[in-house]
Amino acid sequence: MTFIVRRARPDEYKNIGQLTLAGFGHLEPGGSLPDEERLALLLDSQGRDEQGVLLVAEGTDGGLLGTASIFPHGVPYARQAREGEAELRLLAVLPAARKQGLGAALLEEGANIAAEWGAERLVLDTGRGARRGANDESRDTAVV
């Protein structure tokens, strides 16, 4: 599968919100919507872009296939980043586009952005209880 990773455009915010919902499985048969707070977060593409960088993976046909948000330490959407770190969270890939390297490409571009910001490390917010980071058992993160 051929795709590019780039920064989102404001005219794409609504579609990115829906992509995020779909990527987390909420729109799959048998899926359910998250609670109101989580739903608002997943749909708030503009807020995520304003607080950090909103990335998309775009297919050759122009369709959006995946997304991720990168935040510097200290902004409200950064839950795990500490001083000197950046945080990547809300990485979502459409089910039909998985296992094609989109997630890895989004993570790599997030690491590049974190480096541009001068962050010493990038933490991946894996969600509450999803997985404990290899380097810090007190956070739901993986350090990359």
Side-chain angles (χ1 to χ4, degrees), residues 76-142:
Y77 274 162
R79 295 191 317 177
Q80 304 288 341
R82 295 179 181 162
E83 190 71 36
E85 298 176 337
E87 178 175 329
L88 188 140
R89 73 184 285 214
L90 301 168
L91 190 154
V93 174
L94 292 176
R98 292 182 183 154
K99 299 189 186 285
Q100 305 292 319
L102 279 79
L106 288 161
L107 180 60
E108 181 177 349
E109 184 59 19
N112 291 337
I113 291 167
E116 288 173 11
W117 289 345
E120 297 170 10
R121 73 173 92 184
L122 175 67
V123 294
L124 175 62
D125 183 339
T126 58
R128 290 183 173 86
R131 185 181 132 197
R132 292 288 181 182
N135 297 337
D136 189 339
E137 292 295 319
S138 68
R139 299 190 281 178
D140 293 318
T141 62

Side-chain angles (χ1 to χ4, degrees), residues 29-119:
S32 62
L33 291 179
D35 64 56
E36 279 187 41
E37 182 180 354
R38 177 81 174 163
L39 179 61
L41 169 69
L42 297 180
L43 294 176
D44 187 18
S45 300
Q46 180 176 350
R48 297 191 330 250
D49 201 21
E50 290 171 352
Q51 289 190 30
V53 173
L54 182 62
L55 295 174
V56 293
E58 177 184 0
T60 55
D61 65 354
L64 300 182
L65 306 170
T67 184
S69 301
I70 301 91
F71 302 109
H73 164 73
V75 300
Y77 274 162
R79 295 191 317 177
Q80 304 288 341
R82 295 179 181 162
E83 190 71 36
E85 298 176 337
E87 178 175 329
L88 188 140
R89 73 184 285 214
L90 301 168
L91 190 154
V93 174
L94 292 176
R98 292 182 183 154
K99 299 189 186 285
Q100 305 292 319
L102 279 79
L106 288 161
L107 180 60
E108 181 177 349
E109 184 59 19
N112 291 337
I113 291 167
E116 288 173 11
W117 289 345

